């Protein structure tokens, strides 16, 4: 069975992929709204396919349908509850959207490159990142601890793949504040690495207290990801005149993830 060092390495590599999404800010100063909406659509397609083929199906192969569906409802419900209960800021095109008790003033503060970053600003942005990435890391850690190394590696690949457009969506409003490209790259990479590594270690250790958690954990991660897709990514990528680009990118992302999943499993 993989040790905790291996868990940190694998989940860390998946998290680092988030930083790849920030690389376009080095090429051009401002990304068009069409490209941004298409990136959201791509991320949504990848996440939807990852939820089904990378989490729900493997969970059902290792456990019961009821366990996976229970986890799915808990994950989706937990994400929705967290959006209301935890003050945080969601990345939007050239702006930040306050939720869960955060205010417009918080969003305005986050849109400014202040080198003396306040603790509240960091916590508000970090809250949204944790809500998105922690369930995925949890599933990786639980899979490793359950002896499902191959499943865990497939999860890491598909999660790393969908982390790229996620990182792009996070990096664009950061870059628009005037922050240096290197700092955008650094913060974007950390946004993927930290929550996924911490959650994967927690999941790995959790199995030591209660075995057989993978079906519930995989459903939990899938539910949270699907909630993000339908509550945030799809609405955010529509209503700006670029719905066709976002929808086309969604289909491309879905197909790409299914193909990659099939190739990795083989």
């Amino acid at each position: 069975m993989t040790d905790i060092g291996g868990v940190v390495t694998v989940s860390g590599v998946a998290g680092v992929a988030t930083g790849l999404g920030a690389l376009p800010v080095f090429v051009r100063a401002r990304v068009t709204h069409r490209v941004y909406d298409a990136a959201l659509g791509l991320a949504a397609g990848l996440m939807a396919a990852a939820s089904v083929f990378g989490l729900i199906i493997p969970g059902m192969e290792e456990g019961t349908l009821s366990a996976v569906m229970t986890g799915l409802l808990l994950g989706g419900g937990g994400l929705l509850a967290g959006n209301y209960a935890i003050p945080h800021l969601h990345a939007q095109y050239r702006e930040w959207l306050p939720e869960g008790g955060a205010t417009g003033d918080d969003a305005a503060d986050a849109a400014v490159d202040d080198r003396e970053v306040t603790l509240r600003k960091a916590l508000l942005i970090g809250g949204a990142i944790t809500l998105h990435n922690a369930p995925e890391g949890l599933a990786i850690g639980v899979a490793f601890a359950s002896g499902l190394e191959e499943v865990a590696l497939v999860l890491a690949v598909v999660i790393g793949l969908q982390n790229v457009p996620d990182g792009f969506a996070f990096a664009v409003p950061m870059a628009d504040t005037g922050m240096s490209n290197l700092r955008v790259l650094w913060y974007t990479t950390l946004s993927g690495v930290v929550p996924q590594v911490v959650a994967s270690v927690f999941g790995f250790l959790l199995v030591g207290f209660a075995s057989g958690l993978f079906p519930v954990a995989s459903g939990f991660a899938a539910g949270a990801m699907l909630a993000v897709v339908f509550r945030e990514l799809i609405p955010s990528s529509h209503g700006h005149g670029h719905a066709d680009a976002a929808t086309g990118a969604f289909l491309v992302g879905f197909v790409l993830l299914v193909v990659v999943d099939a190739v990795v499993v083989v």
Side-chain angles (χ1 to χ4, degrees):
M1 185 177 68
T2 304
D3 61 16
I4 196 167
V7 174
V8 170
T9 300
V10 172
S11 59
V13 170
V16 166
T18 310
L20 297 177
L23 294 180
V25 302
F26 286 86
V27 180
R28 57 187 303 176
R30 181 164 296 175
V31 177
T32 66
H33 209 153
R34 178 184 295 275
V35 171
Y36 187 81
D37 285 353
L40 293 180
L42 181 66
L46 289 167
M47 291 176 72
S51 298
V52 176
F53 296 97
L55 291 165
I56 293 175
I57 292 178
M60 292 173 59
E61 291 173 347
E62 299 298 329
T64 64
L65 173 64
S66 60
V68 177
M69 293 300 102
T70 297
L72 188 147
L73 292 174
L74 290 173
L79 189 284
L80 295 177
N83 271 323
Y84 286 105
I86 301 173
H88 59 284
L89 296 172
H90 282 301
Q92 300 280 295
Y93 181 70
R94 299 179 60 185
E95 63 180 348
W96 298 90
L97 175 66
E99 287 195 323
T103 67
D105 290 338
D106 293 320
D109 291 341
V112 179
D113 179 20
D114 182 4
R115 294 185 181 276
E116 298 297 328
V117 181
T118 65
L119 177 60
R120 178 170 173 79
K121 174 181 173 180
L123 290 175
L124 289 171
I125 296 175
I129 294 167
T130 301
L131 285 170
H132 288 193
N133 293 337
E136 302 163 3
L138 179 69
I140 293 175
V142 170
F144 271 125
S146 302
L148 306 173
E149 284 85 359
E150 183 177 346
V151 172
L153 290 174
V154 171
L155 277 178
V157 170
V158 299
I159 288 170
L161 187 62
Q162 64 94 13
N163 275 344
V164 178
D166 259 5
F168 178 81
F170 178 76
V172 168
M174 295 286 285
D176 197 60
T177 66
M179 184 181 295
S180 70
N181 290 338
L182 287 177
R183 290 182 69 196
V184 171
L185 176 62
W186 174 244
Y187 290 143
T188 303
T189 302
L190 286 180
S191 76
V193 172
V194 174
Q196 289 193 345
V197 168
V198 171
S200 67
V201 171
F202 175 77
F204 186 82
L205 297 176
L206 185 63
V207 174
F209 297 97
S211 60
L213 288 177
F214 179 70
V216 176
S218 64
F220 186 92
M225 290 172 68
L226 289 173
V228 169
V229 168
F230 284 95
R231 188 186 187 280
E232 298 172 16
L233 297 183
I234 292 178
S236 295
S237 62
H238 287 63
H240 316 117
H242 313 305
D244 288 345
T247 302
F250 177 94
L251 296 173
V252 170
F254 193 96
V255 170
L256 178 61
L257 194 286
V258 173
V259 171
V260 169
D261 180 66
V263 170
V264 171
V265 171
V266 172

